[in-house]
Each structure stands twice: as structure tokens, then as C-alpha cells.
Amino acid sequence: MDTTYEQRFSQNARRMRASEIRELLKLTQWPEVISFAGGLPNPAAFPTEELRGVIEHVMAEHAPDALQYGATEGHNKLRDAIARGMGIEHDTPQSIHNILITHGSQQALSLLSHVLLDPGDVVVTGAPSYLGALQTFRAFQAQIEGVALDESGMDVDLLEKKLRSLAEHKRLPKFIYLVPTFQNPSGVTIPLERRRRTYELLCEHDLLLIEDDPYGFLRYDGEKVPLFKSLDEQERVIYLSSFSKILAPGFRIAWMAAPESIVNKVCLAKQTQDLCSNTFAQYCIFEAMYHDILFPHIEQIIRIYRRKRDTMLAAMEQYLPDRARWNRPEGGLFVWVTLPPFINTLDMFAKAISNDVAYVAGQAFFPDGGGQNTMRLNFSHPSDEMIEEGVRRLANVIREEIEEKEKALEDELIGGF
Ligand SMILES: Cc1ncc(COP(=O)(O)O)c(C=O)c1O
């Protein structure tokens, strides 16, 4: 056939483009590269033996149901355990009718976009924000409005201004999307007082919030902060969480806790995608909860990741030049680094790769530009030794780049005279 496939694609598919950053990330998979670029759990922290027992148990006791299609909403025992668990863990008990099981939170983001967004609708996100969410909202042709973060998450004064201005133009967002706890990519957490003010703004402007919380369980120090969902007296919060980071992402099982009418509509959208989430995986996860494997396992990964975070922070303290700044996340998987404003971390990436170290350039996470001098570093996946060596390599790259750029600026100034 001599026609190209391009012209056969739908308009929507034609708009899809591989992101430059995702392409660059392929380079980080070379074996000699120490990569801080991914966001993967550490395979050494998977409870392999315990899960082998669980899988054997599911096959021995539940095979006819576990190998069958299931309800679109999800396996009822798992939904019920999650509904009750949200009461115990987060003081926000749910009814089983508020819980929907999805194939990862990523699917939940796509399904919610499907049922909430029309082309041109506005969505407000953090700047920076989770790349997978930005890509999804873009795929549904949303207009994304970013609000800057500070060390306590989305700046609520800026959010207030943004909403006022959008309201004046009759362009209020369909929803606000936040990762309030140990945000991907910045690692920051919104404190309670700021959550309250943000929630008041939701009420004032009659808005929904998607609270995406895959990292909340991974707290290494500091006090737990109540969920937006637990402040929600007006059914405005759609809560998402996932077993990916606390058990194993290969199961692809996550959940949504939302007002029943949203669950019902999302369920219809899900029927067009996959009929139901992986039944076998849902049975396994329920058994892992029932046989008390999940929570002790979370305790264990917290110990491992806390040590890795501390190893990374200590190495950064030791090796990074004074002019680099970074935060100290109390949980999650990422540290956020800010370099002097004349450094562009995307331009610096080639130098990093040739020094066998990788990161994600921060600008990937900004919905509408910015963040050129920032980067995200992941500490969960590399081994402790690799973390130290990788930070040492990265420090050399940054130092060299700062020197080169400063020299170029100086030459430019002299040239200007
Ligand atoms: C903030 C956030 N939301 C959602 C996801 C998707 O997770 P999953 O689809 O594995 O549940 C991720 C994955 O890294 C994430 O960081």
C-alpha cells in the first residue's frame, strides 16, 4: 500500500506527538548510565515471596472467579476493604458505591478526562505537575493553566488570582488537579492550612478537585497531613490512589473514591475501554490486604526509601556546587533541584548522558513553559552505591556547565564594550 498511515489517523491521533523529553528518557536506559530519571519503585522492595504465596492461594481457593471477567466497578471485597481502609487510614470512610477500581491511576485520569472535559475546557494544575496528567489533559484538548508552587505546594494566593481572572473571562476550570502530598515532580506537600484555603476557593468558585495521591503512604518523617478528601463537605473531591508505589505497579491496580454519580459515569466510560480491571490482580491484592501483607510491606519500603532519600541528600550536600538548591522531601520518590537561572537543564542533558548520569529536565513538567533551570531526581530506583556515584557525576556536570555559561556571559559582556 502506498498511502501513508498518517492520513488515516483520527484528528485526535494526529495531534498526538512523542514528547521530546520522553524520547530523551530512552537514552537513560543504557546500562552504563546511572539514572535518576525514572519514577520506578525498587524491584528489591517488591514482596516477591509473600506474593508467590498469595498467588498460589488465589489459584487454589478462588480460581473460577479470579480468572473470570469481573464487574466494571471492581472486585467487591477489594472495594469494600478500600472503602473501610479510607476510614481507618484517612478518617474519611467511604461507601463501597464511592469506590471504583481502575488500571492504574493513569487510567482514572484518562477516564475522568473522558467524562469531564470538552475540547477547550480549562484545567488548573501546578506548575510543575505530573507529566502523565498533563499529557492526558492535553490529549482531551484541555487548556491547561499552571499555578506556580512554592515550598508548600501550589501557591494559594496565585491560585486565588488565577481563578478570579478566569472567572472574569467566564473560563472557570472544569477541575483543579493536584498531587498534594509528596508531589511528583517537586516532592513538596501542601500543609493543612493551605489545603483549607484551597478548599474554600473550590467552594467559592463551585469547582471540583482531583486529588491524586499515589505517594501519601510513603512518609519518611514529619506529621501526616489530612487529605483534601477528609475536608470535603460538599462532594467536590475526586480522590485517586494506587497500589503501584506501595505494592507493585505491574498489577496496574488503583482506586478512585468519588461521589457516586461520578463513579457511575466513569464506570460507563470504563466499559468502552476494558470492561473491567484485571480480576486476578484484584484478587491477589485483596488477599495481600486480608493476610496482612500490605501494611508490613509498606513499613519495609518506607525504611528502604528513607535510607535512599538520606543517601541522596547527603551526597548532594557533599558534592553539588553551592549555587544548586534542592528541597528535603518528607516522603515520596523525588528531590527537586534548582540551578542558577542561566542554566538550561534540557541543554545540559547531553553532557549528563556523556558523563553516564541522567535526570529529567524540569521544563517537561511545566504546562506552559518555565522551569528551564530545574530538574527532578528519583532516589527510589538506583542502588545506594549508584546514588552516591550518580550525584558525584551530576555535580561535575553542573559545575562544568556553570563555569562554561559564566565564561560565555563574561565574554558577551566584554564583547559589548
Ligand atoms: C502523580 C501520579 N499520578 C498517577 C501516576 C500513575 O500511576 P499508576 O497508573 O501506576 O497508578 C503516577 C505514576 O508515577 C504519578 O506519579
Side-chain angles (χ1 to χ4, degrees):
M1 208 175 351
D2 119 91
T3 53
T4 65
Y5 287 105
E6 192 62 25
Q7 67 202 55
R8 295 165 192 265
F9 288 138
S10 67
Q11 292 194 9
N12 212 2
R14 276 186 235 179
R15 266 191 302 273
M16 291 175 192
R17 291 272 172 272
S19 101
E20 187 191 353
I21 304 260
R22 289 241 194 240
E23 289 303 302
L24 286 177
L25 288 183
K26 289 184 189 156
L27 305 177
T28 68
Q29 284 156 16
W30 293 346
E32 59 278 20
V33 172
I34 297 179
S35 179
F36 299 133
L40 307 183
N42 196 303
F46 293 148
T48 311
E49 275 316 305
E50 291 88 337
L51 287 178
R52 196 191 309 278
V54 162
I55 289 166
E56 277 165 13
H57 174 83
V58 170
M59 286 309 288
E61 302 294 326
H62 304 289
D65 292 326
L67 297 176
Q68 188 55 279
Y69 287 111
T72 310
E73 293 84 347
H75 175 34
N76 273 343
K77 282 190 176 169
L78 180 61
R79 292 170 75 208
D80 185 52
I82 290 170
R84 283 185 291 114
M86 288 203 54
I88 298 163
E89 291 297 320
H90 301 302
D91 198 22
T92 168
Q94 303 292 307
S95 141
I96 187 171
H97 305 293
N98 300 118
I99 305 292
L100 175 86
I101 307 293
T102 58
H103 273 136
S105 293
Q106 190 61 39
Q107 185 188 37
L109 291 170
S110 170
L111 293 170
L112 284 166
S113 299
H114 197 130
V115 304
L116 293 173
L117 293 178
D118 289 311
D121 277 349
V122 175
V123 171
V124 167
T125 73
S129 191
Y130 167 53
L131 183 57
L134 297 179
Q135 281 185 317
T136 306
F137 304 149
R138 281 190 193 119
F140 284 87
Q141 298 179 59
Q143 167 90 39
I144 303 176
E145 295 281 342
V147 174
L149 311 185
D150 60 20
E151 64 287 351
S152 304
M154 185 182 276
D155 183 323
V156 72
D157 293 326
L158 292 181
L159 175 64
E160 186 170 7
K161 269 197 212 140
K162 172 75 78 183
L163 293 177
R164 289 257 144 81
S165 130
L166 288 170
E168 271 164 28
H169 296 89
K170 300 210 172 349
R171 289 181 64 245
L172 274 169
K174 270 289 174 68
F175 55 80
I176 298 180
Y177 168 78
L178 289 177
V179 184
T181 308
F182 316 135
Q183 198 230 23
N184 179 2
S186 67
V188 298
T189 295
I190 305 178
L192 179 58
E193 228 7 76
R194 192 176 279 196
R195 290 184 191 216
R196 289 215 173 95
R197 269 197 67 200
T198 307
Y199 188 76
E200 280 164 20
L201 288 174
L202 293 179
C203 298
E204 184 186 325
H205 291 281
D206 190 20
L207 301 176
L208 294 177
L209 172 73
I210 298 182
E211 176 176 31
D212 189 4
D213 185 33
Y215 304 107
F217 279 108
L218 303 180
R219 175 173 282 285
Y220 315 133
D221 38 46
E223 290 292 307
K224 190 165 162 179
V225 186
L227 300 182
F228 273 98
K229 187 76 187 158
S230 72
L231 309 177
D232 185 17
E233 288 164 356
Q234 299 188 3
E235 298 215 307
R236 296 187 177 279
V237 178
I238 300 167
Y239 176 82
L240 307 181
S241 192
S242 172
F243 291 97
S244 289
K245 304 299 192 305
I246 55 175
L247 193 61
F251 281 129
R252 306 306 301 128
I253 295 296
W255 73 95
M256 174 190 302
E260 207 176 323
S261 44
I262 291 188
V263 167
N264 291 344
K265 192 59 96 177
V266 169
C267 200
L268 293 179
K270 186 168 163 66
Q271 279 163 9
T272 72
Q273 284 197 358
D274 58 7
L275 304 178
C276 67
S277 295
N278 182 328
T279 320
F280 188 73
Q282 294 183 72
Y283 268 78
C284 291
I285 289 180
F286 172 72
E287 293 299 329
M289 291 172 84
Y290 185 77
H291 294 287
D292 210 14
I293 289 169
L294 180 66
F295 281 94
H297 174 64
I298 294 176
E299 290 302 315
Q300 197 189 334
I301 47 183
I302 285 175
R303 280 194 292 277
I304 297 172
Y305 291 170
R306 181 191 289 125
R307 192 189 65 228
K308 286 183 180 296
R309 177 204 59 178
D310 291 344
T311 303
M312 177 167 271
L313 292 174
M316 292 171 86
E317 198 62 58
Q318 184 177 352
Y319 296 116
L320 287 196
D322 287 348
R323 295 165 73 190
R325 295 272 168 272
W326 61 92
N327 60 346
R328 184 180 188 285
E330 292 189 331
L333 306 186
F334 307 107
V335 178
W336 185 249
V337 182
T338 306
L339 299 178
F342 53 85
I343 298 293
N344 182 319
T345 52
L346 192 55
D347 292 348
M348 192 175 76
F349 190 76
K351 194 177 276 166
I353 286 293
S354 59
N355 282 273
D356 292 335
V357 63
Y359 55 82
V360 186
Q363 53 196 280
F365 305 104
F366 284 76
D368 33 24
Q372 276 83 355
N373 57 332
T374 59
M375 64 170 79
R376 188 192 76 177
L377 301 183
N378 164 265
F379 54 79
S380 59
H381 192 255
S383 70
D384 295 22
E385 299 70 43
M386 293 290 147
I387 291 177
E388 178 163 2
E389 173 57 19
V391 171
R392 202 185 59 75
R393 290 179 194 175
L394 183 62
N396 289 337
V397 170
I398 294 175
R399 202 167 283 115
E400 209 179 285
E401 186 77 358
I402 291 180
E403 274 167 23
E404 269 175 35
K405 284 281 153 14
E406 278 186 335
K407 172 98 181 44
L409 284 174
E410 249 171 53
D411 291 350
E412 221 174 87
L413 268 181
I414 293 168
F417 269 113

mmCIF file of all heavy atoms in Angstrom, residues 1 9 23 45 54 69 77 138 171 173 187 200 202-203 208 300 354 368 396:
data_model
loop_
_atom_site.group_PDB
_atom_site.id
_atom_site.type_symbol
_atom_site.label_atom_id
_atom_site.label_comp_id
_atom_site.label_asym_id
_atom_site.label_seq_id
_atom_site.Cartn_x
_atom_site.Cartn_y
_atom_site.Cartn_z
ATOM 1 N N MET A 1 0.853 -1.190 0.000
ATOM 2 C CA MET A 1 0.000 0.000 0.000
ATOM 3 C C MET A 1 0.890 1.241 0.000
ATOM 4 O O MET A 1 1.836 1.310 0.752
ATOM 5 C CB MET A 1 -0.857 -0.016 1.273
ATOM 6 C CG MET A 1 -2.132 0.706 1.057
ATOM 7 S SD MET A 1 -3.285 0.642 2.433
ATOM 8 C CE MET A 1 -2.636 -0.517 3.558
ATOM 9 N N PHE A 9 -5.216 8.374 10.287
ATOM 10 C CA PHE A 9 -5.433 8.562 11.720
ATOM 11 C C PHE A 9 -6.530 9.591 11.973
ATOM 12 O O PHE A 9 -6.735 10.513 11.173
ATOM 13 C CB PHE A 9 -4.131 9.041 12.393
ATOM 14 C CG PHE A 9 -3.073 7.969 12.492
ATOM 15 C CD1 PHE A 9 -1.742 8.267 12.230
ATOM 16 C CD2 PHE A 9 -3.403 6.672 12.856
ATOM 17 C CE1 PHE A 9 -0.764 7.289 12.313
ATOM 18 C CE2 PHE A 9 -2.433 5.688 12.949
ATOM 19 C CZ PHE A 9 -1.115 5.995 12.671
ATOM 20 N N GLU A 23 11.448 11.031 24.675
ATOM 21 C CA GLU A 23 12.432 10.440 23.752
ATOM 22 C C GLU A 23 13.815 10.436 24.404
ATOM 23 O O GLU A 23 14.537 9.450 24.344
ATOM 24 C CB GLU A 23 12.467 11.243 22.434
ATOM 25 C CG GLU A 23 11.229 11.071 21.584
ATOM 26 C CD GLU A 23 10.946 9.617 21.214
ATOM 27 O OE1 GLU A 23 11.809 8.993 20.601
ATOM 28 O OE2 GLU A 23 9.859 9.108 21.570
ATOM 29 N N ALA A 45 12.451 -4.053 46.478
ATOM 30 C CA ALA A 45 11.442 -3.799 47.516
ATOM 31 C C ALA A 45 10.106 -4.448 47.183
ATOM 32 O O ALA A 45 9.112 -4.213 47.870
ATOM 33 C CB ALA A 45 11.269 -2.291 47.695
ATOM 34 N N VAL A 54 0.530 -15.601 47.977
ATOM 35 C CA VAL A 54 -0.796 -15.048 47.695
ATOM 36 C C VAL A 54 -1.329 -15.607 46.369
ATOM 37 O O VAL A 54 -2.487 -16.026 46.269
ATOM 38 C CB VAL A 54 -0.715 -13.489 47.630
ATOM 39 C CG1 VAL A 54 -1.916 -12.902 46.936
ATOM 40 C CG2 VAL A 54 -0.561 -12.910 49.028
ATOM 41 N N TYR A 69 -14.096 -12.742 33.954
ATOM 42 C CA TYR A 69 -14.406 -11.308 33.893
ATOM 43 C C TYR A 69 -14.988 -10.898 35.243
ATOM 44 O O TYR A 69 -15.596 -11.717 35.946
ATOM 45 C CB TYR A 69 -15.489 -11.022 32.843
ATOM 46 C CG TYR A 69 -15.047 -11.117 31.405
ATOM 47 C CD1 TYR A 69 -15.510 -12.147 30.592
ATOM 48 C CD2 TYR A 69 -14.223 -10.150 30.856
ATOM 49 C CE1 TYR A 69 -15.148 -12.222 29.263
ATOM 50 C CE2 TYR A 69 -13.848 -10.220 29.510
ATOM 51 C CZ TYR A 69 -14.304 -11.249 28.730
ATOM 52 O OH TYR A 69 -13.945 -11.314 27.418
ATOM 53 N N LYS A 77 -14.986 -7.306 47.224
ATOM 54 C CA LYS A 77 -14.262 -7.420 48.500
ATOM 55 C C LYS A 77 -13.133 -6.399 48.563
ATOM 56 O O LYS A 77 -12.847 -5.842 49.612
ATOM 57 C CB LYS A 77 -13.683 -8.830 48.641
ATOM 58 C CG LYS A 77 -14.715 -9.858 49.045
ATOM 59 C CD LYS A 77 -14.009 -11.138 49.383
ATOM 60 C CE LYS A 77 -14.997 -12.170 49.897
ATOM 61 N NZ LYS A 77 -14.368 -13.494 49.983
ATOM 62 N N ARG A 138 -4.041 17.158 27.886
ATOM 63 C CA ARG A 138 -3.785 17.696 26.529
ATOM 64 C C ARG A 138 -4.444 16.824 25.476
ATOM 65 O O ARG A 138 -4.997 17.329 24.497
ATOM 66 C CB ARG A 138 -2.282 17.750 26.253
ATOM 67 C CG ARG A 138 -1.637 18.941 26.907
ATOM 68 C CD ARG A 138 -0.200 19.109 26.422
ATOM 69 N NE ARG A 138 0.481 20.050 27.290
ATOM 70 C CZ ARG A 138 1.554 19.755 28.020
ATOM 71 N NH1 ARG A 138 2.103 18.567 27.975
ATOM 72 N NH2 ARG A 138 2.086 20.676 28.794
ATOM 73 N N ARG A 171 -14.224 31.647 32.222
ATOM 74 C CA ARG A 171 -13.474 30.454 31.793
ATOM 75 C C ARG A 171 -13.042 29.640 33.010
ATOM 76 O O ARG A 171 -11.926 29.125 33.060
ATOM 77 C CB ARG A 171 -12.248 30.870 30.976
ATOM 78 C CG ARG A 171 -12.607 31.407 29.594
ATOM 79 C CD ARG A 171 -11.384 31.780 28.793
ATOM 80 N NE ARG A 171 -10.539 30.639 28.502
ATOM 81 C CZ ARG A 171 -9.304 30.490 28.969
ATOM 82 N NH1 ARG A 171 -8.761 31.362 29.761
ATOM 83 N NH2 ARG A 171 -8.602 29.427 28.627
ATOM 84 N N PRO A 173 -12.210 26.732 35.521
ATOM 85 C CA PRO A 173 -11.800 25.375 35.131
ATOM 86 C C PRO A 173 -12.863 24.331 35.430
ATOM 87 O O PRO A 173 -13.677 24.506 36.328
ATOM 88 C CB PRO A 173 -10.565 25.131 36.002
ATOM 89 C CG PRO A 173 -10.664 26.085 37.127
ATOM 90 C CD PRO A 173 -11.432 27.271 36.636
ATOM 91 N N GLY A 187 8.200 16.905 44.981
ATOM 92 C CA GLY A 187 8.345 16.320 46.318
ATOM 93 C C GLY A 187 7.663 17.111 47.420
ATOM 94 O O GLY A 187 7.655 16.686 48.584
ATOM 95 N N GLU A 200 -11.587 26.239 50.339
ATOM 96 C CA GLU A 200 -12.548 27.365 50.350
ATOM 97 C C GLU A 200 -12.693 27.963 48.958
ATOM 98 O O GLU A 200 -13.789 28.338 48.536
ATOM 99 C CB GLU A 200 -12.059 28.467 51.310
ATOM 100 C CG GLU A 200 -12.379 28.151 52.763
ATOM 101 C CD GLU A 200 -11.564 29.030 53.721
ATOM 102 O OE1 GLU A 200 -11.064 30.103 53.296
ATOM 103 O OE2 GLU A 200 -11.416 28.611 54.871
ATOM 104 N N LEU A 202 -12.299 26.356 46.189
ATOM 105 C CA LEU A 202 -13.122 25.421 45.391
ATOM 106 C C LEU A 202 -14.592 25.716 45.611
ATOM 107 O O LEU A 202 -15.392 25.756 44.667
ATOM 108 C CB LEU A 202 -12.894 23.972 45.831
ATOM 109 C CG LEU A 202 -11.565 23.283 45.608
ATOM 110 C CD1 LEU A 202 -11.621 21.871 46.152
ATOM 111 C CD2 LEU A 202 -11.254 23.248 44.119
ATOM 112 N N CYS A 203 -14.949 25.910 46.898
ATOM 113 C CA CYS A 203 -16.364 26.143 47.229
ATOM 114 C C CYS A 203 -16.813 27.479 46.649
ATOM 115 O O CYS A 203 -17.879 27.571 46.031
ATOM 116 C CB CYS A 203 -16.585 26.135 48.742
ATOM 117 S SG CYS A 203 -16.154 24.542 49.471
ATOM 118 N N LEU A 208 -14.529 21.369 41.086
ATOM 119 C CA LEU A 208 -14.117 20.034 41.521
ATOM 120 C C LEU A 208 -12.592 19.996 41.664
ATOM 121 O O LEU A 208 -11.881 20.762 41.015
ATOM 122 C CB LEU A 208 -14.509 18.987 40.477
ATOM 123 C CG LEU A 208 -15.991 18.745 40.237
ATOM 124 C CD1 LEU A 208 -16.163 17.714 39.112
ATOM 125 C CD2 LEU A 208 -16.680 18.249 41.510
ATOM 126 N N GLN A 300 8.198 -1.632 55.416
ATOM 127 C CA GLN A 300 9.532 -2.018 54.948
ATOM 128 C C GLN A 300 10.037 -1.094 53.827
ATOM 129 O O GLN A 300 11.192 -0.660 53.848
ATOM 130 C CB GLN A 300 9.484 -3.459 54.455
ATOM 131 C CG GLN A 300 10.864 -4.048 54.358
ATOM 132 C CD GLN A 300 10.825 -5.382 53.660
ATOM 133 O OE1 GLN A 300 9.810 -6.072 53.668
ATOM 134 N NE2 GLN A 300 11.934 -5.750 53.045
ATOM 135 N N SER A 354 26.657 12.016 28.473
ATOM 136 C CA SER A 354 28.030 11.599 28.132
ATOM 137 C C SER A 354 28.860 11.376 29.402
ATOM 138 O O SER A 354 29.909 10.753 29.343
ATOM 139 C CB SER A 354 28.690 12.551 27.137
ATOM 140 O OG SER A 354 28.718 13.817 27.693
ATOM 141 N N ASP A 368 2.949 25.390 30.899
ATOM 142 C CA ASP A 368 3.013 26.493 29.934
ATOM 143 C C ASP A 368 4.360 27.198 29.988
ATOM 144 O O ASP A 368 4.435 28.409 30.077
ATOM 145 C CB ASP A 368 1.854 27.477 30.160
ATOM 146 C CG ASP A 368 1.462 27.576 31.632
ATOM 147 O OD1 ASP A 368 2.328 27.275 32.477
ATOM 148 O OD2 ASP A 368 0.315 27.939 31.920
ATOM 149 N N ASN A 396 29.701 17.122 38.877
ATOM 150 C CA ASN A 396 30.751 17.541 37.927
ATOM 151 C C ASN A 396 30.133 18.187 36.692
ATOM 152 O O ASN A 396 30.616 19.200 36.190
ATOM 153 C CB ASN A 396 31.605 16.342 37.497
ATOM 154 C CG ASN A 396 32.480 15.885 38.654
ATOM 155 O OD1 ASN A 396 32.758 16.664 39.570
ATOM 156 N ND2 ASN A 396 32.888 14.622 38.623
#
